[in-house]
Amino acid sequence: MLNFLPGPLLFLLSGSLLIINTAICGSLVCIGGLFKLLTPFKAGRVRVTMLMNRFMWLWATLNGAILQLIAKIEWDVKGLDGLDKNGWYLVISNHLSGFDIAAQTYILRNHIPMLKFFLKKELIYVPIMGLGCWALDMPFMNRTSPEKLKKNPKLKGKDLETTRKACEKFRDLPTSIINYVEGSRFTEAKRDRQNSPYRYLLRPKAGGIAFALSAMGEQFSHLLNVTVVYPDAPKDILAGVMQGKVSKIVVRVEALPVPEVDDKQYFSNAEYRAQFQRWLNDVWQKKDEQIHELLTEHKASTSSYRELAERGH
């Protein structure tokens, strides 16, 4: 445990270790991607993908080991019972920091398939990164702009059809796809600009998960509602973690039934879209209340600990 070191030194050390871990595991994934490109048979490509997922598991595990080295973090996690590494999950979560991905992949790595993210199709052409994401079977989405749709109405529905074809490969391998439905990391300034009705959340956007459910809803066994809280973190959570200033991370996982989305109705019927948005707003309202309760509990327990410590002195 190195948390006795000064914050700037811990930041430098943890940053270096995280970069090295990402570089090594990312290189292994890219090398696997080259083998996958050259593999002519579907069964062979599936096996290569399974190996790539193991490399991502290794990346997540080593991230956890680095955290244990630089800080004494208490992981308060509930809701993992009953999850299945051989299942298909759509995961939604609040979004607070660039550290969220590392925290969630670490916590969930032994309970559900490794997390994947819907990516813009243009990212597949980014050197190294595109090959690595393709090797991991990250789903690439084709989203036609409203301007193009106005010019060529025949393109309507093509995006969904393309995404469905891209997601067909997930029938062969258990998959978890995560969507940060707020579309951006939470800050109080963003909350105020949005006039968000929530205390700790931005307004959720239903379009992304509606699109995912339309494309492969029948494949998902559960919708996982994940809530992450850093009760004692500074405003810059990632920097705080890397400097050993975060001592507790709270994660709550709730398995919900997978909502059905009729793509024809969703993309053509405004009331149908509004109804789905209301469902998501309700999930977010409950999440906001849950976060408030978790922060209140932490504050109360911290105050009690301080009182006991003061009496001891």
Side-chain angles (χ1 to χ4, degrees), residues 39-263:
T39 303
F41 304 109
K42 179 179 177 180
R45 290 194 296 273
V46 169
R47 289 195 172 277
V48 173
T49 301
M50 291 172 67
L51 179 60
M52 299 305 99
N53 286 335
R54 294 302 295 172
F55 289 148
M56 189 173 179
W57 177 92
L58 177 64
W59 172 78
T61 302
L62 291 176
N63 282 340
I66 292 168
L67 287 180
Q68 290 178 10
L69 180 67
I70 64 170
K72 187 177 180 181
I73 293 179
E74 174 192 351
W75 291 90
D76 179 2
V77 184
K78 294 180 181 178
L80 298 178
D81 295 339
L83 301 182
D84 185 4
K85 284 206 74 172
N86 294 313
W88 279 259
Y89 295 94
L90 176 61
V91 183
I92 59 174
S93 174
N94 63 316
H95 194 18
L96 294 169
S97 163
F99 179 69
D100 293 348
I101 294 173
Q104 290 165 338
T105 52
Y106 175 69
I107 286 298
L108 296 169
R109 74 194 191 287
N110 292 324
H111 300 277
I112 64 175
M114 293 307 298
L115 294 174
K116 302 185 187 301
F117 306 83
F118 272 112
L119 304 172
K120 294 179 180 179
K121 69 168 186 176
E122 290 78 11
L123 292 177
I124 200 171
Y125 303 110
V126 177
I128 301 177
M129 176 185 174
L131 178 61
C133 292
W134 177 81
L136 287 165
D137 270 353
M138 299 286 181
F140 290 92
M141 298 175 66
N142 182 30
R143 300 301 295 268
T144 304
S145 66
E147 292 77 17
K148 286 185 178 180
L149 283 174
K150 286 181 180 179
K151 291 180 181 178
N152 189 357
K154 292 182 179 179
L155 293 175
K156 189 175 182 180
K158 287 288 184 181
D159 292 349
L160 185 59
E161 182 182 337
T162 302
T163 304
R164 274 182 177 155
K165 288 181 180 178
C167 292
E168 284 179 359
K169 58 191 169 187
F170 297 133
R171 297 182 187 277
D172 305 312
L173 203 60
T175 303
S176 301
I177 295 177
I178 188 168
N179 188 298
Y180 293 110
V181 297
E182 293 164 295
S184 179
R185 289 177 233 170
F186 173 86
T187 66
E188 292 181 358
K190 290 178 185 176
R191 180 199 61 195
D192 295 341
R193 280 199 304 271
Q194 285 188 355
N195 193 25
S196 171
Y198 314 109
R199 289 165 290 186
Y200 310 102
L201 301 166
L202 302 179
R203 292 179 180 272
K205 300 176 182 179
I209 59 170
F211 197 87
L213 289 167
S214 299
M216 53 179 296
E218 72 281 357
Q219 296 184 45
F220 294 123
S221 54
H222 286 93
L223 176 76
L224 291 188
N225 178 26
V226 176
T227 302
V228 59
V229 179
Y230 308 92
D232 64 351
K235 282 193 174 182
D236 189 338
I237 295 171
L238 178 58
V241 170
M242 293 173 66
Q243 294 180 67
K245 294 181 178 179
V246 175
S247 62
K248 186 172 184 178
I249 299 174
V250 181
V251 181
R252 295 292 182 265
V253 182
E254 179 186 19
L256 300 174
V258 180
E260 293 184 8
V261 174
D262 184 319
D263 60 277

Side-chain angles (χ1 to χ4, degrees), residues 206-207 210 214 261-270 272-273 276:
S214 299
V261 174
D262 184 319
D263 60 277
K264 292 181 181 178
Q265 288 266 33
Y266 186 86
F267 295 106
S268 64
N269 187 321
Y272 188 90
R273 287 196 300 275
F276 187 77

